[in-house]
Amino acid sequence: MTQTDIDRLASGLLAQTAAFADAVDGADWDAFVPTCPEWRLRVLVGHLGQAPRWAAGIVRGGSADGIPDPHEAMPPQDWRTWLLAGASELVEAVLAVGPDTPVWTLVGPGPASFWLRQATHDTSVHAIDAALPAGVPYALEPDLAADAVTQYLELLSSPAAATLKPAVALLWGAGSIGLRPSEESIEGWVITCTPTGVSWRRGPGSTDVTVTGAVEDLLLVLMRRLPPQRVAIDGDERLFDHWLAHSAL
C-alpha cells in the first residue's frame, strides 16, 4: 500500500468511528441491533472499543491469543473519547512499525496495514448497523466502499476462509457473479466459484448473474445489511441468493 492509501484508511477509520458514536448517542444501548441480531447495541460499542486496541497489540508484536469478548466490555463514562482513542491507537501503531511490517493476520502472515484496513471497513459497516435502527443518515465514501468489497473478496478467496467459516465451502462449485457499480469511476468485480474455491478479478466480463447498484449499496447487500431488492439483479438470482446465504465472514 502507498502512504496515500494508509492515510486514506486512517482518516476513514477515525471518521467512521465518529459516525458510529454519533449514531449510538442517545440510543437505547440495551436494544438488539437488527443487522447484528445476536448483539445488543452496548455489545457493538464494546466491540468497536476493544477490537482496534487488540489489533494494535498484534501490530506492536503482541500475541493474537485472547480475542476480546465484547460482551465483557465496560465502556467508560466518556465512551466517545474511548472509542476514538482506540481507533487512534491502531493508526499510531501501524505508522510506528511501518505498514509493510509482517504481522499475524486472520488469514496468515500479512502486512501491519491489514489491521488498519480491517478495522476501517469493520467500523464502517457497524456505523451503518447503528445508523439504520436510529433512523439517522449514513454515508460511506465510494472509494472506501469499493476497497471494502475488494477486501471482502480477498478474505473469501483466501485458503483459510473455509477454516474460519466452514459455510464458505458451500460456495465452491460453479457459477459466476458480476458486481457492477453505477459509479463510472469505479471498476467492477467478477467472482468465479470453482470446485476448489472462490476467485475474483476486477473489470468487466460475462457472468451468470450481474448485480448493479451504487457501490455503497453493493457492499451493504453483500454484508447483508440491505435486502437484495436494493440493487438490480440480472440473470441467475438463485446463484446470488446462494452466495448471500453462505458468504458471511
Side-chain angles (χ1 to χ4, degrees):
M1 280 191 176
T2 67
Q3 187 59 47
T4 299
D5 295 330
I6 297 301
D7 292 344
R8 183 70 184 97
L9 289 172
S11 65
L13 174 58
L14 297 176
Q16 290 299 319
T17 302
F20 174 81
D22 289 342
V24 303
D25 193 9
D28 179 6
W29 283 23
D30 287 321
F32 283 100
V33 181
T35 46
C36 293
E38 296 180 1
W39 283 15
R40 297 182 189 271
L41 186 56
R42 68 174 58 257
V43 177
L44 198 53
V45 174
H47 169 63
L48 289 189
Q50 290 176 327
R53 290 175 166 88
W54 177 68
I58 294 171
V59 167
R60 291 191 294 259
S63 171
D65 295 334
I67 298 175
D69 184 349
H71 291 84
E72 298 176 357
M74 298 291 290
Q77 184 173 3
D78 189 0
W79 53 268
R80 180 185 292 269
T81 298
W82 180 68
L83 288 173
L84 290 171
S88 295
E89 182 179 336
L90 176 55
V91 171
E92 291 164 5
V94 171
L95 294 177
V97 305
D100 296 327
T101 298
V103 300
W104 179 90
T105 80
L106 297 170
V107 293
S113 59
F114 171 94
W115 289 107
L116 178 57
R117 192 181 184 202
Q118 173 68 21
T120 299
H121 300 323
D122 185 53
T123 301
S124 297
V125 172
H126 287 319
I128 293 167
D129 286 330
L132 288 172
V136 300
Y138 62 84
L140 182 56
E141 295 87 344
D143 63 322
L144 287 180
D147 189 61
V149 172
T150 294
Q151 187 215 26
Y152 161 77
L153 294 176
E154 288 175 356
L155 292 174
L156 275 174
S157 60
S158 164
T163 301
L164 292 171
K165 294 287 185 177
V168 169
L170 296 175
L171 299 174
W172 301 356
S176 56
I177 301 169
L179 304 177
R180 295 286 171 263
S182 55
E183 297 90 343
E184 293 183 0
S185 61
I186 299 177
E187 194 173 34
W189 299 261
V190 172
I191 305 166
T192 304
C193 300
T194 76
T196 56
V198 172
S199 64
W200 65 277
R201 62 174 177 82
R202 296 299 295 267
S206 177
T207 55
D208 296 308
V209 58
T210 300
V211 185
T212 305
V215 67
E216 180 186 72
D217 289 347
L218 290 176
L219 172 65
L220 295 179
V221 170
L222 290 172
M223 296 291 105
R224 290 155 297 280
R225 266 57 184 186
L226 291 177
Q229 292 76 16
R230 184 65 172 256
V231 294
I233 303 173
D234 182 25
D236 189 350
E237 293 189 27
R238 291 181 300 174
L239 174 61
F240 189 56
D241 289 342
H242 180 76
W243 174 273
L244 293 178
H246 302 295
S247 58
L249 288 174

